[in-house]
């Protein structure tokens, strides 16, 4: 028994398959509409995921941090020792790291680099080093950013000068992250004693366990320092990156919805194309369907046959579309995140499934009316043509 | 006993303000093993009458009896069921499905009945109409006469009691028409069925057992 004979056991599927094969060009064009719709919806969805992951990985551990500096209502030009103690007394479950900052020009072998200078004791908590070490109690040496070290040809153990003191380089700071203190500029980290002529701390970084804890810490500090009775004042400026991430996150969510919306519209357009194709082909086959009804094929069977056609179209278009989207997604992840395999994780791969499911659903939906119309056509009228 | 009977059948078509009465009280019957030919001028109501006999349409008034059962008030689904089990149709322009082979076309009326395997009967019927060597040909690979033979085989697949044919030789030349009529006559006797045919073809009268003439919706006796 041949494949065709076996298929014949499922007459609706068999008839639908043969009908689609009759006008391959039209079938291909209808499926192409679906393919475009699926590619649009899947790849726009995956683009959203790629952007979101990119943004999150750029912010990295910074989302756990709260940064405190002097506010506009402060009597001082920095955060005072007393205020740091006060912060330490109310924030017990997080590290509190006061810093003093300045900027200077570092020179070596005739090369100069403008860097920001940070005086801090607990360097280990704030900095990741690619070579050397970041001590928990920085008292003698210095850390310098990778890029600056390369620019000046500095090695571990080389001396750098700041404010008349020499410091030996103990580690190179990983300058991978784009955000964070210092921005893209080079950075020099020295013991806090190196900036002793500055009375107050320029900022205090508090490192919490999580983004949520950081937000909570920020709220606690706001309430403690910036609420005097019923008045709002800003003694300390408290900022947390968690809220930045939240903002970016909600922006990206909106963006993703908009992208999916655009994809959805193209799928609606594709469904209308299928509706049109199905309607055309049932109108064309009106006489044939009349014969089917005359020889005793039930209305439900005619309905099923045409719905099966629409389902095949949707499945075909959906499969091709999902395959194309996978390729598009891999390219997108390569460009945005530098890793094409990222497309395979569920967060983005599910958009392939959504696209496919939507394609089949939309096709069946747009097959309903033509199928219903063909099934309920009077056989006499249909045969008269 | 008649296998199909029309009793005082009236069929009116209302389109807007105009009313056309295509059948004006028609009585008709056909028996097993009998070939009845309906003749009459164009527009006299022949096709309309055949549609009543074929349970494709329902009368405005009067009654239709199939095998002594009143089917006048049957629903569309019940009529479909009766058509599949008791009636066979042959059309002027064959109406084979172009994407199916000859044997698949013959099987078509029975394929949704998964309980029965009609492949053997389909092959047998095609052999009996002389197309045993054309089983896997599609309609566009067959001549008009061959296509009509496939259509006849298809009409008999479900072992009907009645074969209905609206101008079955209308699209065929004289000689081919004659062989088709011989085929139908032979099968009518072999299967003991009633054949009701509408025609303009004079030579069909050579094969018919009885002729019914209709003029302007009224049977002339
Ligand atoms: N669906 C319809 N709506 C309106 N009038 C109809 C309809 N079907 C048939 N008629 C009318 O009923 C009459 C009988 O038509 P019918 O098709 O039965 O004629 P006929 O005898 O088969 O003619 P011919 O030999 O040309 O095929 C005609 O006047 C026709 O216009
Ligand atoms: Mg007619």
């Amino acid at each position: 028994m041949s494949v065709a004979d076996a298929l014949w056991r499922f007459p609706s599927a068999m008839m639908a398959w043969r009908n689609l094969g009759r006008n391959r060009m039209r079938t291909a064009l209808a499926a192409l509409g679906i393919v475009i719709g699926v590619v649009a919806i899947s790849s726009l969805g995956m683009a959203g995921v790629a952007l979101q992951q990119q943004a999150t990985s750029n912010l990295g551990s910074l989302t756990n941090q709260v940064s405190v500096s002097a506010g506009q209502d402060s009597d001082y030009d920095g955060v005072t020792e007393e205020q740091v103690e006060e912060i330490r007394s109310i924030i017990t479950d997080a590290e509190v790291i006061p810093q003093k900052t300045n900027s200077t020009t570092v020179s070596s072998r005739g090369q100069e680099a403008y860097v920001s200078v940070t005086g801090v004791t607990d360097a280990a908590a704030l900095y990741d080093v690619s070579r050397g070490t970041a001590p928990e109690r920085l008292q003698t040496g210095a850390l310098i950013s990778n890029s600056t070290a390369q620019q000046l040809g500095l090695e571990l153990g080389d001396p750098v000068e700041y404010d008349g003191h020499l410091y030996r380089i103990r580690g190179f700071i990983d300058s991978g992250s784009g955000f964070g203190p210092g921005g893209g500029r080079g950075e020099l980290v020295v013991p806090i004693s190196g900036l002793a002529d500055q009375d107050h701390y320029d900022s205090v970084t508090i490192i919490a366990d999580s983004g949520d804890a950081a937000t909570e810490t920020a709220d606690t500090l706001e309430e403690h320092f910036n609420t005097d009775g019923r008045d709002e004042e800003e003694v300390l400026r408290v900022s947390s990156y968690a809220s930045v991430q939240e903002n970016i996150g909600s922006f990206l969510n909106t963006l993703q919805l908009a992208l999916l919306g655009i994809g959805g519209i193209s799928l609606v357009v594709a469904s209308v194309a299928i509706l049109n194709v199905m309607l055309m082909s049932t109108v064309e086959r009106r006489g044939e369907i009349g014969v089917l009804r005359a020889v005793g094929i039930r209305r439900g069977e005619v309905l099923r046959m045409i719905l099966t056609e629409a389902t095949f179209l949707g499945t075909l278009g959906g499969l091709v579309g999902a395959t194309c989207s996978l390729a598009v997604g891999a390219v997108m992840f390569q460009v945005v995140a530098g890793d094409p395999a990222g497309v395979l994780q569920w967060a983005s791969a599910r958009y392939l499934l959504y696209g496919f499911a939507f394609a089949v659903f939309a096709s069946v939906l747009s097959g309903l009316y033509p199928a219903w119309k063909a099934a309920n056509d009077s056989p006499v009228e249909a045969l008269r043509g | 006993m008649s296998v199909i009977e029309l009793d005082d059948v009236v069929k009116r078509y209302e389109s807007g303000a105009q009313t056309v009465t295509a059948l004006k009280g028609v009585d008709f019957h056909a028996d097993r093993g009998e070939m009845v030919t309906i003749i009459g001028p164009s527009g006299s109501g022949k096709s309309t009458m055949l549609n009543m006999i074929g349970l494709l349409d329902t009368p405005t008034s009067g009654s239709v009896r199939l095998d002594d059962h009143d089917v006048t008030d049957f629903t569309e689904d019940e009529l479909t069921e009766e058509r599949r089990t008791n009636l066979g149709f042959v059309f002027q322009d064959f109406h084979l499905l172009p994407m199916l082979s000859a044997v698949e076309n013959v099987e078509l009326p029975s394929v949704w009945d998964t309980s029965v395997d009609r492949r053997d009967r389909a092959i047998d019927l095609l052999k009996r109409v002389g197309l045993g060597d054309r089983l896997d040909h599609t309609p566009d690979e067959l001549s008009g006469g061959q296509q009509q033979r496939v259509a006849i085989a298809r009409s008999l697949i479900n072992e009907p009691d009645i074969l209905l044919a609206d101008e079955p030789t209308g699209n065929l030349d004289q000689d081919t028409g004659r062989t088709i009529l011989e085929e139908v006559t032979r099968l009518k006797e072999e299967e003991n069925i009633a054949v009701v045919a509408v025609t303009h073809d004079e030579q069909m009268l050579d094969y018919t057992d009885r002729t019914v003439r209709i003029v302007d919706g009224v049977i002339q006796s």
Side-chain angles (χ1 to χ4, degrees):
Chain A
M1 195 158 76
S2 73
V3 177
D5 289 339
L7 253 184
W8 207 217
R9 313 232 154 228
F10 306 95
S12 300
M14 174 70 172
M15 294 285 287
W17 186 249
R18 294 277 179 91
N19 279 328
L20 287 176
R22 275 159 80 173
N23 197 333
R24 298 225 167 87
M25 184 56 120
R26 182 159 68 192
T27 303
L29 285 176
L32 183 65
I34 298 278
V35 169
I36 293 171
V38 172
V39 170
I41 201 166
S42 315
S43 52
L44 290 177
M46 293 189 296
V49 174
L51 287 175
Q52 201 142 16
Q53 284 182 355
Q54 163 73 356
T56 311
S57 79
N58 274 353
L59 282 173
S61 60
L62 291 177
T63 53
N64 293 354
Q65 299 184 3
V66 179
S67 174
V68 179
S69 55
Q72 59 193 14
D73 300 325
S74 172
D75 298 331
Y76 309 98
D77 62 351
V79 184
T80 64
E81 193 70 50
E82 292 75 38
Q83 284 171 326
V84 170
E85 286 314 314
E86 214 171 328
I87 293 173
R88 284 214 164 96
S89 68
I90 50 176
I91 307 299
T92 51
D93 55 352
E95 289 180 81
V96 177
I97 305 158
Q99 298 149 61
K100 293 179 180 175
T101 55
N102 200 350
S103 55
T104 191
T105 305
V106 181
S107 61
S108 170
R109 294 172 197 162
Q111 296 265 29
E112 288 196 338
Y114 188 65
V115 295
S116 49
V117 180
T118 305
V120 68
T121 303
D122 187 355
L126 280 189
Y127 299 99
D128 289 329
V129 290
S130 56
R131 277 204 292 142
T133 49
E136 266 177 44
R137 300 193 65 79
L138 185 65
Q139 270 159 344
T140 53
L143 305 177
I144 194 161
S145 51
N146 255 332
S147 52
T148 315
Q150 264 167 23
Q151 193 185 339
L152 301 178
L154 291 170
E155 286 298 329
L156 286 179
D158 283 356
V160 282
E161 196 213 309
Y162 171 70
D163 199 22
H165 290 279
L166 282 177
Y167 300 93
R168 290 205 178 277
I169 297 175
R170 302 182 56 178
F172 293 133
I173 301 166
D174 227 346
S175 43
S177 55
F179 296 92
R185 208 201 295 169
E187 202 166 359
L188 176 67
V189 181
V190 298
I192 199 122
S193 56
L195 284 83
D197 55 341
Q198 295 185 19
D199 285 340
H200 305 304
Y201 295 105
D202 291 286
S203 65
V204 179
T205 301
I206 300 161
I207 302 177
D209 291 335
S210 66
D212 287 345
T215 310
E216 216 170 281
T217 302
D219 291 345
T220 310
L221 291 176
E222 282 281 359
E223 203 177 319
H224 185 87
F225 288 100
N226 295 343
T227 314
D228 182 18
R230 295 180 52 206
D231 288 338
E232 290 280 325
E233 51 176 13
E234 195 179 46
V235 176
L236 292 183
R237 181 190 298 271
V238 179
S239 52
S240 80
Y241 294 100
S243 65
V244 173
Q245 192 197 19
E246 252 164 47
N247 285 343
I248 292 178
S250 81
F251 164 72
L252 285 172
N253 277 340
T254 312
L255 182 72
Q256 191 160 23
L257 274 183
L259 291 177
L260 284 178
I262 296 170
I265 288 171
S266 54
L267 215 58
V268 169
V269 173
S271 321
V272 173
I274 290 208
L275 177 65
N276 184 37
V277 164
M278 296 301 300
L279 214 48
M280 293 278 292
S281 86
T282 48
V283 165
E284 242 169 54
R285 274 150 46 197
R286 192 176 180 211
E288 249 170 56
I289 292 165
V291 173
L292 288 178
R293 297 280 294 110
V295 303
I297 309 297
R298 300 178 192 95
R299 287 187 290 192
E301 290 154 351
V302 171
L303 188 91
R304 220 179 312 155
M305 178 182 90
I306 295 170
L307 275 185
T308 310
E309 272 183 59
T311 311
F312 279 173
L313 265 182
T315 310
L316 185 74
L319 280 179
V320 175
T323 311
C324 294
S325 311
L326 188 64
V328 171
V331 170
M332 218 152 47
F333 269 83
Q334 169 68 46
V335 170
V336 177
D339 176 23
V343 73
L344 293 176
Q345 58 193 322
W346 175 241
S348 71
R350 67 199 169 121
Y351 284 100
L352 297 175
L353 199 70
Y354 295 165
F356 176 76
F358 208 128
V360 175
F361 176 74
S363 302
V364 172
L365 202 65
S366 37
L368 270 177
Y369 173 67
W372 177 86
K373 194 165 136 64
N376 286 287
D377 200 5
S378 136
V380 176
E381 295 299 317
L383 284 167
R384 277 161 59 99
Chain B
M1 186 192 69
S2 300
V3 66
I4 182 82
E5 266 184 271
L6 300 187
D7 188 15
D8 198 21
V9 162
V10 173
K11 182 65 182 179
R12 258 193 295 275
Y13 292 107
E14 318 220 357
S15 43
Q18 266 197 321
T19 302
V20 177
T21 308
L23 300 177
K24 299 170 181 166
V26 165
D27 294 324
F28 175 86
H29 71 95
D31 301 332
R32 283 181 207 277
E34 171 186 47
M35 176 159 167
V36 185
T37 306
I38 302 171
I39 58 169
S42 185
S44 57
K46 303 184 294 296
S47 296
T48 307
M49 191 172 154
L50 202 70
N51 289 341
M52 297 298 148
I53 299 166
L55 309 185
L56 286 168
D57 212 346
T58 48
T60 312
S61 72
S63 67
V64 181
R65 296 178 73 78
L66 178 72
D67 239 347
D68 225 18
H69 296 290
D70 194 331
V71 298
T72 319
D73 297 323
F74 271 28
T75 63
E76 176 55 38
D77 291 338
E78 289 167 330
L79 291 174
T80 303
E81 197 65 22
E82 295 300 334
R83 286 201 298 272
R84 191 175 67 239
T85 51
N86 294 314
L87 301 169
F89 289 88
V90 175
F91 306 93
Q92 179 173 352
D93 31 17
F94 327 133
H95 279 313
L96 299 178
L97 299 200
M99 71 287 189
L100 300 183
S101 69
V103 71
E104 286 168 344
N105 263 293
V106 174
E107 276 184 288
L108 187 64
S110 68
V111 287
W112 266 276
D113 259 339
T114 43
S115 54
V116 287
D117 189 355
R118 295 288 192 175
R119 177 55 60 101
D120 292 342
R121 177 163 166 87
I123 294 172
D124 177 54
L125 282 167
L126 280 172
K127 281 182 181 154
R128 280 161 68 189
V129 296
L131 291 175
D133 54 346
R134 293 280 194 278
L135 298 179
D136 294 322
H137 290 224
T138 51
D140 60 356
E141 297 165 339
L142 299 171
S143 71
Q146 288 169 332
Q147 287 187 52
Q148 195 61 303
R149 275 185 245 200
V150 175
I152 289 166
R154 176 179 68 187
S155 72
L156 297 176
I157 187 73
N158 281 332
E159 304 175 40
D161 301 324
I162 310 160
L163 175 62
L164 298 160
D166 199 343
E167 315 217 20
T169 57
N171 278 4
L172 303 174
D173 61 53
Q174 280 265 313
D175 290 347
T176 315
R178 187 162 287 277
T179 59
I180 291 292
L181 289 169
E182 277 163 8
E183 212 81 72
V184 169
T185 307
R186 192 167 50 75
L187 289 165
K188 173 198 78 177
E189 272 149 26
E190 284 175 13
E191 304 266 324
N192 190 31
I193 55 177
V195 177
V196 182
V198 164
T199 194
H200 285 120
D201 184 3
E202 291 291 325
Q203 69 177 347
M204 193 182 275
L205 302 181
D206 300 343
Y207 295 87
T208 192
D209 298 308
R210 187 155 60 88
T211 304
V212 171
R213 168 178 289 274
I214 181 169
V215 176
D216 206 12
V218 181
I219 305 283
Q220 317 281 297
S221 40

